[in-house]
């Protein structure tokens, strides 16, 4: 029973993390799959299909198969061996998130190697063509004007990158004696129930309390049906995590939210998801909405590994930073 509970929580978290890339193949037999792609070229992708045995995670790892159009036999063996190694290193623990992200890194590295080979061949071809034409110098010097123009272009790129991470720097600027600033996510509504996530960088339990108090200064949030909370703080001198959660009347919602933070391995973060009940029961979907809202705000804040939809979230400006809601 304990294994089944961990499996259910892990699947809910993976569904929230990977969205449309996560697919239920056979719920009754616990068979699922996740598609993993390089964000620059979707051809470089693989599908990880896995079955969760009743003994997972306590005694055995999931049973898996990898499908990919570009992998040869050597690539397939290397990727499979990598997942088996992860299972041995995390014996008795959940491993699916580790598997997926390791497979993503594997694909990205293969893609990069392929691009480097193409670039090297292109450079060789260009040198050959240059040597054929006596009128084209092979060692042309860069003028000061060209160098200034290059520096100017790099400066523009640097400023653009800085503007994208200003918000992330802002929420990570909190110190022990500072009041954390809060990011508020975009509200989401399903069958008249509305969910909204809030996130702040915290390094002490007192700051967690300050965040909750500040949120509840807003009458609408204070009067919400539920304010489900989870936090995870890394204690440097103990090399361990301090964490806790609060269901606020929504049974098991807080523990599932904390489970999501643990799988994503985020630290020094508190997430609160507010729900205004609309009078229609949502059943298990409510837990999916709590996790999805939390995942979205962590993606926008740059706390989750980058993916194709992270850029979309940033471009749409789906969040704001403010001291008061």
């Amino acid at each position: 029973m304990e294994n089944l509970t961990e499996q259910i929580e892990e699947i809910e978290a993976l569904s929230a993390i990977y969205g449309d890339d996560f697919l239920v193949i056979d719920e009754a037999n616990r068979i699922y799959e996740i598609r993993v792609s390089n964000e620059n070229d979707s051809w470089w992708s693989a599908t990880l299909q896995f079955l969760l045995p009743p003994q997972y995670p306590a005694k055995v790892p999931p049973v898996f198969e990898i499908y990919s159009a570009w992998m040869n036999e050597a690539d397939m063996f290397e990727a499979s061996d990598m997942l088996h190694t992860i299972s041995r290193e995390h014996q008795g623990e959940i491993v699916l998130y580790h598997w997926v992200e390791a497979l993503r890194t594997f694909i990205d590295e293969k893609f990069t190697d392929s691009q480097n080979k193409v670039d090297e061949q292109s450079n060789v071809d260009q040198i050959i063509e240059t040597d054929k034409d006596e009128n084209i110098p092979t060692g042309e010097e860069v003028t000061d004007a060209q160098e200034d123009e290059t520096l100017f272009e790099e400066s523009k790129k640097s400023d653009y990158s800085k503007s994208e991470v200003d918000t992330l720097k802002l929420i990570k600027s909190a110190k022990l004696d500072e009041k954390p600033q809060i990011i508020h996510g975009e509200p989401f509504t399903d069958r008249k129930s509305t969910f909204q996530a809030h996130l702040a960088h915290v390094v002490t339990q007192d700051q967690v309390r300050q965040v909750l108090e500040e949120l509840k200064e807003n009458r609408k949030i204070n009067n919400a049906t539920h304010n489900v909370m989870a936090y995870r703080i890394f204690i440097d001198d103990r090399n361990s995590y301090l964490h806790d959660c609060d269901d606020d009347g929504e049974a098991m919602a807080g523990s599932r939210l904390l489970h999501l933070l643990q799988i994503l391995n985020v630290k020094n973060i508190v997430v609160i998801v507010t729900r205004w009940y609309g009078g229609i029961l949502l059943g298990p979907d409510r837990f999916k909405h709590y996790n999805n809202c939390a995942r979205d705000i962590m993606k926008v804040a740059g706390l989750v590994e980058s993916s194709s939809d992270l850029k979309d979230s940033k471009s749409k400006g789906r969040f704001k930073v403010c001291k008061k809601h």
Side-chain angles (χ1 to χ4, degrees), residues 234-240:
F234 184 70
I235 309 300
D236 291 305
D237 56 354
R238 297 180 184 176
N239 194 30
S240 61

Side-chain angles (χ1 to χ4, degrees), residues 149-159:
E149 183 178 353
T150 301
L151 291 173
F152 176 68
E153 291 299 323
E154 291 179 352
S155 175
K156 288 197 296 182
K157 290 178 182 178
S158 176
D159 289 340

Side-chain angles (χ1 to χ4, degrees), residues 2 76 119 126 168 193 220 235 255:
E2 184 177 346
M76 198 70 71
D119 292 341
Q126 186 176 3
L168 181 58
S193 279
K220 185 178 179 181
I235 309 300
S255 61

Side-chain angles (χ1 to χ4, degrees), residues 144-285:
D144 290 341
Q146 288 173 320
E147 186 173 358
D148 289 343
E149 183 178 353
T150 301
L151 291 173
F152 176 68
E153 291 299 323
E154 291 179 352
S155 175
K156 288 197 296 182
K157 290 178 182 178
S158 176
D159 289 340
Y160 178 75
S161 300
K162 180 178 180 299
S163 67
E164 285 192 324
V165 299
D166 274 346
T167 301
L168 181 58
K169 287 182 178 179
L170 190 60
I171 70 166
K172 289 188 174 181
S173 63
K175 297 180 181 178
L176 290 171
D177 56 348
E178 289 182 351
K179 191 173 183 179
Q181 295 194 21
I182 305 171
I183 289 178
H184 304 282
E186 187 75 12
F188 167 81
T189 300
D190 177 22
R191 285 165 283 180
K192 298 184 179 180
S193 279
T194 298
F195 299 78
Q196 184 181 24
H198 321 276
L199 180 149
H201 176 72
V202 294
V203 291
T204 66
Q205 287 179 301
D206 187 57
Q207 288 183 326
V208 173
R209 179 186 56 78
Q210 291 175 16
V211 170
L212 290 170
E213 289 177 352
E214 181 173 346
L215 282 175
K216 291 187 176 182
E217 287 177 5
N218 180 283
R219 184 177 299 177
K220 185 178 179 181
I221 294 177
N222 189 50
N223 293 334
T225 315
H226 308 289
N227 283 292
V228 177
M229 179 274 295
Y231 69 85
R232 196 165 185 254
I233 299 172
F234 184 70
I235 309 300
D236 291 305
D237 56 354
R238 297 180 184 176
N239 194 30
S240 61
Y241 284 92
L242 178 67
H243 59 258
D244 201 358
C245 59
D246 182 8
D247 294 335
D248 194 29
E250 187 78 280
M252 297 179 66
S255 61
R256 292 168 189 243
L257 191 59
L258 177 59
H259 190 69
L260 178 66
L261 302 187
Q262 291 169 333
I263 285 183
L264 293 175
N265 197 29
V266 295
K267 65 179 180 179
N268 299 338
I269 291 296
V270 59
V271 176
I272 301 97
V273 181
T274 302
R275 179 189 181 187
W276 292 271
Y277 178 58
I280 301 174
L281 295 174
L282 302 185
D285 283 350

Side-chain angles (χ1 to χ4, degrees), residues 46-115:
T47 297
L48 177 66
Q49 187 174 111
F50 51 90
L51 178 150
L52 304 182
Q55 300 87 353
Y56 170 76
K59 295 183 179 180
V60 299
V63 179
F64 71 88
E65 289 187 7
I66 300 173
Y67 302 95
S68 176
W70 62 268
M71 284 191 192
N72 56 33
E73 188 175 347
D75 292 329
M76 198 70 71
F77 177 83
E78 185 179 352
S80 298
D81 185 63
M82 174 183 67
L83 300 193
H84 286 305
T85 300
I86 292 173
S87 296
R88 290 192 294 270
E89 293 174 347
H90 295 270
Q91 189 172 1
E93 303 174 6
I94 56 174
V95 296
L96 292 173
Y97 180 76
H98 297 296
W99 277 7
V100 175
E101 292 310 307
L103 187 58
R104 186 187 308 281
T105 300
F106 177 80
I107 292 172
D108 290 345
E109 289 175 350
K110 294 294 183 180
F111 169 77
T112 301
D113 290 344
S114 174
Q115 291 298 109

